[in-house]
Amino acid sequence: MYIWLSNVFVLSIKEIKSLFSDLILVLLMVYFFTVAVVVAAKGASQDVRNAPVAVVDYDESQLSRDVVSVIGPPYFKVPQKISAEEVHTDMDLGRYYFVLDIPPKFNENMLNGRNPKMQLMVDATAMTLAGTGTGYISAMLRSELGRFAQNSGRGSLPDSPGAVVEAKTVTNVLFNPNSLALWQMGVMQIIGNLTLLTLMLSGAAIIREKERGTIEHLLVMPVGASEIAFSKILANGSVIVALAMASLWFIVHGAMGVPVAGSAGIIITGMLIYVLSFASLGILLAVLAPTMPQFGLLCIPVYMLVYLLSGATSPIESMTENMQQIIQISPTTQFVSFFQDVVHRGAGWDEVWQRLLIMLGQGLFFLSIALLKFKSMLSKQG
């Protein structure tokens, strides 16, 4: 065991030196965990921000002006007053996403307890913006109308004429109370980049040895297939995990202000186990692909499949039941759930140890297959 560990350590040092000798690859890894994370989190945000709003005000009362005044930056632009004839044309042209229609005698009917209805027209072509924005506007209107009802002596604003409100529902959102995509996108981008780099670098290390002819040098040394494979996983994996942790704490948590609830020890452990799983898959693909272009073509569909179905971009519950069961065999699915539990919800060892064991089992399974194929390849090279 001592000789095996010594050989893995020496080969890992050799692999790290080879990795850092490629300046373009080093710059690419740094880019993946800095600029790419920030751009993905902030550049393509789906949050409600400066959404255009218009108002058709038939009442022209102080209450209607107060209602309109609560809708504004930073979520919405200052509402523009338009006529009823302009509504359909302006919405068809995409000038406004939301149009609020305030009926005549709105103030008078409110004072008389008739509960008049306002109409909010929404352009649902931007589905995420429409759904979230509608909730924001509804909350703003309820708050302002409730304040008006209290000040005018009408009491709490009921849901319908004659309704008796016996209980009040209060929702406390502990994580991401404003539903900011920034909190989700930055962390998920790190998972995506970690997955892609682990797959590419571990496999590319094998392909590079074959293309440069240095694999023959390894064969004449007193080292086995497991030592060569583990050294490549250890060297590339340690660099990727270090960059991912730095990105999580200094870019996402520090610069973006996204809270990271979990401890560093749990996160690093999960990353290392996941890297073991996915790097083994990368080595397996490298054995199956004789050249770098073929390896790259194999990596792209594998990465797209496991990442898109992992729950990072869309909930697993939205898939069919059969697919929900099948995708559980992917280490990425387990890692996304683990990462969300730890980073977002502050889960501890007692809550995530089962997912860690599942990922470890998956990693050992992929590693055993990769080693068998790798030994077969080395025997043919010899």
Side-chain angles (χ1 to χ4, degrees):
M1 178 59 69
Y2 173 77
I3 296 176
W4 188 89
L5 292 174
S6 300
N7 289 338
V8 169
F9 176 76
V10 173
L11 290 173
S12 299
I13 297 299
K14 168 257 181 188
E15 188 64 33
I16 291 177
K17 289 181 179 179
S18 176
L19 178 64
F20 281 96
S21 65
D22 191 337
L23 180 60
I24 300 299
L25 185 57
V26 172
L27 292 177
L28 182 63
M29 289 190 296
V30 173
Y31 165 81
F32 268 174
F33 289 107
T34 53
V35 178
V37 173
V38 175
V39 170
K42 293 188 175 182
S45 175
Q46 297 182 0
D47 297 331
V48 179
R49 185 71 57 179
N50 294 322
V53 183
V55 176
V56 179
D57 189 357
Y58 291 101
D59 190 40
E60 297 287 351
S61 65
Q62 183 61 44
L63 175 59
S64 67
R65 288 190 288 270
D66 290 342
V67 166
V68 173
S69 67
V70 300
I71 304 174
Y75 303 113
F76 306 95
K77 292 182 179 179
V78 176
Q80 301 296 312
K81 188 176 180 180
I82 62 175
S83 63
E85 292 76 16
E86 298 176 283
V87 172
H88 293 293
T89 301
D90 287 348
M91 293 197 75
D92 288 343
L93 294 176
R95 294 173 181 166
Y96 303 107
Y97 289 145
F98 305 93
V99 175
L100 180 64
D101 188 321
I102 303 177
K105 298 183 179 180
F106 180 71
N107 185 32
E108 178 182 338
N109 289 332
M110 281 290 296
L111 290 173
N112 292 330
R114 298 193 185 100
N115 292 330
K117 307 297 182 183
M118 290 185 292
Q119 182 182 22
L120 180 64
M121 289 168 279
V122 182
D123 180 2
T125 54
M127 294 185 295
T128 302
L129 178 65
T132 307
T134 300
Y136 282 13
I137 292 179
S138 300
M140 293 173 179
L141 296 180
R142 283 196 300 269
S143 176
E144 179 60 26
L145 293 177
R147 184 194 63 80
F148 174 81
Q150 292 286 350
N151 292 340
S152 62
R154 301 299 305 173
S156 300
L157 189 67
D159 295 328
S160 60
V164 178
V165 180
E166 297 180 352
K168 182 179 180 181
T169 301
V170 178
T171 302
N172 294 318
V173 182
L174 300 180
F175 165 71
N176 201 4
N178 291 324
S179 300
L180 298 177
L182 173 68
W183 287 34
Q184 175 78 2
M185 295 302 295
V187 173
M188 291 301 104
Q189 186 66 24
I190 290 178
I191 294 179
N193 293 344
L194 177 69
T195 301
L196 181 59
L197 282 178
T198 300
L199 188 67
M200 294 293 292
L201 291 183
S202 58
I206 301 296
I207 300 290
R208 188 166 57 243
E209 298 280 10
K210 292 193 294 184
E211 291 184 342
R212 293 178 179 178
T214 54
I215 196 165
E216 285 81 3
H217 299 170
L218 295 176
L219 292 176
V220 300
M221 297 174 62
V223 294
S226 62
E227 294 165 325
I228 298 174
F230 268 101
S231 65
K232 295 187 181 302
I233 294 175
L234 179 61
N236 292 285
S238 60
V239 173
I240 296 171
V241 169
L243 289 173
M245 283 300 300
S247 178
L248 181 64
W249 289 101
F250 296 106
I251 303 297
V252 174
H253 181 66
M256 295 183 187
V258 176
V260 178
S263 65
I266 302 178
I267 298 173
I268 292 175
T269 302
M271 283 185 179
L272 290 174
I273 295 176
Y274 178 63
V275 164
L276 171 66
S277 303
F278 229 73
S280 302
L281 182 59
I283 292 177
L284 178 60
L285 294 179
V287 172
L288 298 176
T291 64
M292 190 69 78
Q294 292 179 357
F295 171 69
L297 290 176
L298 272 177
C299 286
I300 292 173
V302 170
Y303 166 75
M304 295 294 291
L305 178 66
V306 298
Y307 184 68
L308 292 178
L309 297 179
S310 65
T313 57
S314 61
I316 294 180
E317 290 74 18
S318 63
M319 307 175 192
T320 62
E321 293 186 4
N322 291 335
M323 182 57 68
Q324 291 182 37
Q325 299 298 325
I326 294 173
I327 200 61
Q328 296 300 322
I329 66 176
S330 169
T332 309
T333 303
Q334 302 296 331
F335 184 63
V336 168
S337 299
F338 161 82
F339 216 65
Q340 289 175 336
D341 289 342
V342 176
V343 174
H344 291 330
R345 305 183 184 98
W349 292 104
D350 56 333
E351 297 167 302
V352 299
W353 66 270
Q354 289 181 323
R355 291 199 182 277
L356 292 176
L357 285 180
I358 293 174
M359 281 196 295
L360 182 60
Q362 292 170 332
L364 294 177
F365 173 75
F366 286 123
L367 182 61
S368 61
I369 298 177
L371 286 177
L372 289 175
K373 293 292 185 180
F374 190 50
K375 287 180 181 179
S376 176
M377 186 200 73
L378 290 180
S379 63
K380 293 178 182 179
Q381 291 286 336

